[in-house]
């Protein structure tokens, strides 16, 4: 169980990205040789043989467009894996709930944004053995600041976006 809702990329945004990504490049699907590519459409690792794509995604830009925020220089884009075709999205079984792409010892940034789309803090999280408790504590800390409306969790190794969490 998680204390917060990790959100995948919105289905409408996925439709756009599967045509042209946020860097203006056409989507180029491929068949995954190995499993484990972190799919941001359904928040799970890919399986061997699945059709996936690596696309450039600007999560804050898309959130800002929906909310009227103006993130300015904080508007980043980076690589994410998605299914090449529409999928069912994340597993909703509460028995399998957890924070995606989580493994003890992995490093994540937990970046906080205000309603204007500006960074108002962040922290490094080394995922502990009790993964959900570690994420819950980092997100509790983030949302303790009343200015924080949105949190992005990113991988330190590649800097890529993993998922977002919005203020409950």
């Amino acid at each position: 169980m998680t204390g917060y809702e990790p959100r995948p990329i919105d289905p409408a945004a996925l439709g756009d990205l599967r045509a042209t990504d946020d860097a203006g490049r056409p989507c180029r699907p491929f068949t995954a040789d190995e499993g484990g590519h972190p799919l941001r459409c359904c928040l799970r690792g890919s399986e061997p043989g699945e059709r996936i794509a690596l696309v450039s995604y600007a999560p804050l830009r898309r959130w800002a467009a929906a909310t009227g925020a103006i993130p300015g220089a904080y508007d980043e884009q980076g690589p994410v894996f998605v299914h090449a075709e529409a999928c069912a999205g994340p597993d909703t079984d509460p028995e399998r709930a957890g924070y995606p792409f989580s493994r003890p010892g992995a490093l994540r940034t937990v970046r906080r944004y205000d309603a204007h789309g500006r960074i108002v803090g962040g922290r490094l999280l080394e995922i502990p053995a009790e993964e959900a408790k570690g994420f819950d504590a980092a997100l509790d800390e983030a949302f303790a600041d009343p200015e924080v409306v949105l949190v992005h969790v990113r991988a330190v190794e590649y800097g890529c976006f993993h998922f977002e969490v919005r203020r409950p």
Side-chain angles (χ1 to χ4, degrees), residues 8 39-44 83 87-91 101:
L39 298 167
R40 282 31 167 252
C41 49
C42 54
L43 301 180
R44 68 167 178 82
H83 275 115
C87 68
D91 187 343
F101 322 120

Side-chain angles (χ1 to χ4, degrees), residues 2-29:
T2 61
Y4 295 90
E5 179 188 356
R7 297 172 62 109
I9 297 175
D10 180 81
L14 288 165
D16 295 343
L17 295 170
R18 289 180 178 123
T20 304
D21 72 12
D22 286 344
R25 291 185 289 268
C27 181
R28 291 191 172 85

Side-chain angles (χ1 to χ4, degrees), residues 3 8 23 75 121 134 165:
D75 176 23
V165 176

Side-chain angles (χ1 to χ4, degrees), residues 33-55:
D33 296 354
E34 301 174 5
H37 299 288
L39 298 167
R40 282 31 167 252
C41 49
C42 54
L43 301 180
R44 68 167 178 82
S46 66
E47 298 291 332
E50 285 188 295
R51 295 284 294 161
I52 63 175
L54 181 62
V55 297

Side-chain angles (χ1 to χ4, degrees), residues 55-92:
V55 297
S56 185
Y57 176 56
L60 194 61
R61 179 185 313 162
R62 289 189 177 264
W63 172 83
T67 64
I70 303 172
Y74 299 111
D75 176 23
E76 299 178 76
Q77 65 187 32
V80 295
F81 289 99
V82 298
H83 275 115
E85 302 292 329
C87 68
D91 187 343
T92 57

